Amino acid sequence: MYDSDFALRLAQLRAKKGVSARDMSLSLGQNAGYINNIESGKALPSMGTFFYICEYLNITPSAFFDTDTSNPEKLDNLIQKLKMLNDAQLDSISTLIDGIVGKK
């Protein structure tokens, strides 16, 4: 992922959460233009701040970089619930999903 991809992904996830760049910046304890500077490609966050950004967005760092997922917060929540199921329950869910998206 390149800097511009990082900026675009952050903007997409922030917009999906329905929060302004200013409000997100202030919620992270940064100056009002912090997220805007990242999204415009003028800056990148430190590793520590990146983890705070992910926490703020309610996603894992790996979900941040999974650009094939448009709503990683919902997907992460679903995955956590799936981890609690037994094999028979997972088979049922798998059959249901196959019926919805079509078996490949």
Side-chain angles (χ1 to χ4, degrees):
M1 179 176 274
Y2 297 100
D3 294 357
S4 59
D5 298 326
F6 185 93
L8 179 61
R9 182 67 170 164
L10 177 57
Q12 290 169 339
L13 294 171
R14 179 188 53 73
K16 188 81 167 176
K17 188 169 179 78
V19 65
S20 71
R22 181 182 189 283
D23 287 344
M24 184 173 175
S25 296
L26 296 175
S27 293
L28 293 170
Q30 302 292 330
N31 68 59
Y34 182 74
I35 294 296
N36 188 44
N37 285 339
I38 295 171
E39 291 179 357
S40 66
K42 295 177 185 173
L44 284 172
S46 68
M47 185 63 75
T49 303
F50 170 68
F51 288 131
Y52 285 129
I53 288 170
C54 291
E55 185 178 310
Y56 179 83
L57 295 170
N58 296 316
I59 61 171
T60 63
S62 63
F64 183 93
F65 294 107
D66 183 2
T67 57
D68 292 333
T69 303
S70 63
N71 196 329
E73 182 178 1
K74 286 184 179 181
L75 184 60
D76 283 348
N77 186 18
L78 181 59
I79 289 169
Q80 292 307 312
K81 290 176 183 175
L82 289 171
K83 288 179 180 180
M84 294 184 276
L85 302 179
N86 63 37
D87 285 347
Q89 292 167 323
L90 287 171
D91 289 341
S92 295
I93 296 295
S94 181
T95 300
L96 177 65
I97 292 171
D98 286 346
I100 293 171
V101 298
K103 192 170 185 175
K104 292 184 180 183

